[in-house]
């Protein structure tokens, strides 16, 4: 059985939880122990550790998640009602491929049960295994990576934390519909890689762009299935991670806000945090990132997939090609319609709705086509 890949929580963490007050988060979570496994029929969110970091050449010590769990369990929950379980850890296999297989099987089983996995790595090449978990779900996948690099590599490269995206793009079956990067820094990426993002009609948002107006990322998360965070996207002065030293990056408040956007998204079904450095300092931030994702989950409005259109106002903008927008009466959020185009290689089976912002509606009102709509339309026909 796939859950046999999971090792129960260590005794140190379980003893720590026993000392917590009944108000702290650790007292409200069910745990995989040597004697007991949680009843998954009662679980909405599942925490999983993956003790695999061989994909990151900078990590020389084994993955240790004890500090992260202690920090997380010692926090106080909000007004939460969803049941949370910690299912323990997936150990590193004989090879990285063995670990990927175990991660894929466990995550796929949880998603099929309508449980949202929160995966704590490990190196970010594990994102490849998370993506492969959707192979049996017969759906296109939208991946959002919060990272200062695009993580492209050569086709001949062995999969790693710095090259996994290439494997996602070229390996069959190809279920990737869209990739979005939040927070890339130009000097960490070659011009060829930046050009490739545009050529593939993917989306890249520079660090400064998001820091200046973090709300522009919300529609991107609203359309995501997987969100993967590389902790090196946070500047060292906020993360406490000095190896490698990151002088510029998101601050603690910004990365937690992005995590909350991920949780609020009705569509996000998988969340991962990778490339932390096992330090006590960074463990505090990782715990708070996870806390904010769970907080966001409890504020989901259940607007995706589209409910009754009676709850939305429809706006039609006459351009060369008619653009149709919808605005929710419930949350004031916006969507734009991507029409179905009949062709043999069409990736969409019907017209679909792309999350967008009010600003993109205003762009259309000024007789300009929003860039995200154009890219989605082009991806649909290549």
């Amino acid at each position: 059985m796939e859950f046999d890949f999971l090792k129960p929580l260590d005794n140190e963490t379980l003893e720590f939880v026993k000392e917590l007050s009944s108000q702290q988060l650790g007292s409200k979570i069910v745990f995989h122990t040597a004697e007991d496994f949680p009843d998954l029929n009662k679980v909405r969110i599942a925490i999983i550790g993956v003790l695999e970091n061989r994909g990151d050449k900078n990590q020389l010590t084994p993955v240790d998640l004890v500090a992260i769990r202690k920090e997380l369990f010692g926090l106080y929950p909000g007004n939460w009602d969803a049941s949370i379980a910690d299912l323990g850890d997936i150990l590193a296999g004989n090879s990285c491929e063995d670990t990927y297989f175990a991660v894929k099987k466990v995550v796929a089983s949880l998603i099929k049960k309508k449980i949202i996995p929160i995966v704590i790595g490990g190196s970010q090449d594990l994102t490849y295994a998370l993506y492969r978990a959707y192979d049996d779900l017969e759906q296109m996948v939208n991946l959002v990576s919060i990272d200062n690099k695009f993580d492209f590599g050569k086709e001949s490269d062995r999969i790693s934390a710095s090259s996994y995206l290439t494997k996602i793009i070229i390996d069959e079956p190809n279920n990737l519909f869209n990739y979005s990067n939040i927070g890339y820094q130009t000097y960490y990426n070659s011009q060829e890689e930046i050009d490739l993002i545009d050529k593939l009609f993917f989306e890249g948002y520079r660090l400064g762009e998001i820091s200046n107006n973090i709300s522009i990322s919300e529609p991107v998360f609203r359309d995501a299935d997987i969100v993967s965070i590389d902790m090196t996207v946070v500047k060292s002065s906020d993360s406490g991670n000095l190896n490698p030293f990151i002088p510029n990056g998101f601050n603690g408040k910004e990365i937690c806000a992005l995590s909350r956007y991920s949780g609020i998204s009705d569509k996000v079904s998988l969340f991962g945090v990778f490339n932390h450095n096992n330090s006590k300092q960074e463990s505090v931030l990782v715990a708070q990132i996870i806390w904010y994702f769970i907080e966001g989950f409890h504020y989901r409005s259940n607007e995706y997939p589209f409910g009754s259109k009676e709850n939305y106002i429809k706006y039609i903008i006459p351009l060369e090609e008619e653009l149709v927008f919808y605005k929710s009466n419930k949350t004031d959020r916006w969507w734009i319609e991507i029409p179905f185009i009949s062709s043999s290689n069409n990736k969409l089976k019907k017209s679909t709705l792309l999350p967008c912002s009010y600003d993109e509606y205003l762009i259309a009102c000024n007789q300009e086509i929003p860039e995200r709509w154009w890219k989605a339309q082009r991806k649909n026909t290549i």
Side-chain angles (χ1 to χ4, degrees):
M1 181 159 175
E2 56 272 11
F3 297 119
D4 291 341
F5 290 117
L6 291 162
K7 176 190 174 186
L9 257 71
D10 59 281
N11 290 329
E12 180 182 348
T13 303
L14 294 174
E15 289 299 319
F16 171 82
V17 169
K18 289 180 182 178
E19 301 299 320
L20 298 175
S21 78
S22 60
Q23 299 301 312
Q24 289 172 288
L25 181 59
S27 299
K28 302 177 184 298
I29 292 178
V30 291
F31 296 98
H32 176 197
T33 67
E35 296 78 28
D36 193 26
F37 191 84
D39 181 357
L40 296 181
N41 292 321
K42 300 177 181 178
V43 172
R44 296 291 306 282
I45 297 172
I47 298 168
I48 301 169
V50 184
L51 309 185
E52 173 67 82
N53 64 359
R54 284 173 288 182
D56 184 358
K57 62 184 179 183
N58 296 317
Q59 292 291 349
L60 303 177
T61 58
V63 182
D64 186 353
L65 303 179
V66 173
I68 292 175
R69 282 188 164 107
K70 285 183 177 180
E71 292 293 339
L72 176 62
F73 299 155
L75 299 176
Y76 290 89
N79 187 23
W80 300 348
D81 56 14
S83 53
I84 304 170
D86 191 324
L87 302 184
D89 296 323
I90 296 175
L91 301 180
N94 291 330
S95 66
C96 289
E97 286 71 22
D98 292 336
T99 309
Y100 300 154
F101 177 81
V103 171
K104 172 185 173 180
K105 290 297 183 183
V106 171
V107 168
S109 294
L110 292 173
I111 293 174
K112 287 179 181 178
K113 294 178 182 292
K114 308 294 185 186
I115 298 171
I116 296 180
I118 296 176
V119 179
I120 314 171
S123 44
Q124 202 185 15
D125 51 299
L126 293 167
T127 302
Y128 176 79
L130 303 187
Y131 165 73
R132 290 268 73 104
Y134 289 79
D135 285 352
D136 300 330
L137 301 179
E138 297 183 355
Q139 69 173 74
M140 300 304 295
V141 177
N142 292 337
L143 167 64
V144 173
S145 175
I146 306 175
D147 197 343
N148 57 20
K149 300 176 183 177
F150 294 127
D151 296 324
F152 285 120
K154 298 178 182 178
E155 289 189 34
S156 58
D157 286 351
R158 186 172 177 273
I159 187 169
S160 70
S162 59
S163 67
Y164 72 90
L165 183 58
T166 298
K167 297 297 184 184
I168 287 178
I169 293 171
I170 65 175
D171 282 5
E172 297 289 342
N174 192 321
N175 305 320
L176 184 68
F177 183 73
N178 192 37
Y179 166 78
S180 301
N181 174 283
I182 302 289
Y184 82 90
Q185 297 176 42
T186 306
Y187 39 73
Y188 288 141
N189 299 275
S190 70
Q191 189 59 48
E192 288 79 8
E193 291 174 322
I194 296 171
D195 292 342
L196 183 58
I197 289 291
D198 284 335
K199 183 178 179 181
L200 295 173
F201 307 112
F202 291 157
E203 297 174 78
Y205 297 84
R206 292 179 64 177
L207 171 67
E209 196 178 357
I210 300 297
S211 294
N212 289 336
N213 183 11
I214 199 168
S215 64
I216 66 173
S217 66
E218 186 275 331
V220 180
F221 290 110
R222 210 182 332 147
D223 201 37
D225 298 289
I226 307 171
V227 176
S228 171
I229 297 180
D230 183 335
M231 285 302 297
T232 60
V233 79
V234 182
K235 58 184 178 181
S236 294
S237 59
D238 280 43
S239 70
N241 185 355
L242 301 178
N243 183 26
F245 178 71
I246 308 294
N248 292 301
F250 289 124
N251 61 34
K253 180 181 177 181
E254 290 166 341
I255 194 67
C256 287
L258 295 173
S259 177
R260 191 174 188 273
Y261 279 146
S262 305
I264 288 175
S265 169
D266 294 317
K267 194 167 184 277
V268 170
S269 54
L270 180 53
F271 182 75
V273 182
F274 306 100
N275 288 355
H276 56 85
N277 71 344
N278 292 340
S279 71
K280 171 70 173 176
Q281 293 88 342
E282 196 168 28
S283 296
V284 177
L285 181 57
V286 173
Q288 292 183 12
I289 288 170
I290 296 169
W291 188 97
Y292 271 101
F293 177 83
I294 300 172
E295 170 82 348
F297 172 83
H298 284 84
Y299 283 92
R300 290 190 172 189
S301 55
N302 298 315
E303 289 184 316
Y304 186 96
F306 218 55
S308 170
K309 292 191 177 181
E310 296 174 359
N311 298 323
Y312 300 82
I313 302 173
K314 183 177 181 179
Y315 297 82
I316 300 176
I317 309 297
L319 295 174
E320 292 181 11
E321 186 161 357
E322 188 175 83
L323 299 186
V324 180
F325 288 83
Y326 292 91
K327 178 187 175 184
S328 167
N329 291 332
K330 183 178 181 182
T331 63
D332 287 338
R333 297 193 295 187
W334 289 78
W335 286 262
I336 185 171
E337 188 171 87
I338 307 297
F340 172 76
I341 299 174
S342 179
S343 66
S344 59
N345 62 347
N346 188 11
K347 292 183 177 181
L348 298 178
K349 305 303 180 186
K350 59 182 179 179
S351 295
T352 189
L353 293 169
L354 177 72
C356 67
S357 65
Y358 174 61
D359 286 344
E360 287 169 301
Y361 166 72
L362 293 180
I363 288 172
C365 289
N366 289 325
Q367 300 297 296
E368 296 180 33
I369 294 178
E371 185 177 358
R372 294 189 68 239
W373 182 92
W374 181 81
K375 285 186 174 182
Q377 182 82 316
R378 291 298 300 270
K379 275 201 298 287
N380 188 27
T381 56
I382 59 175

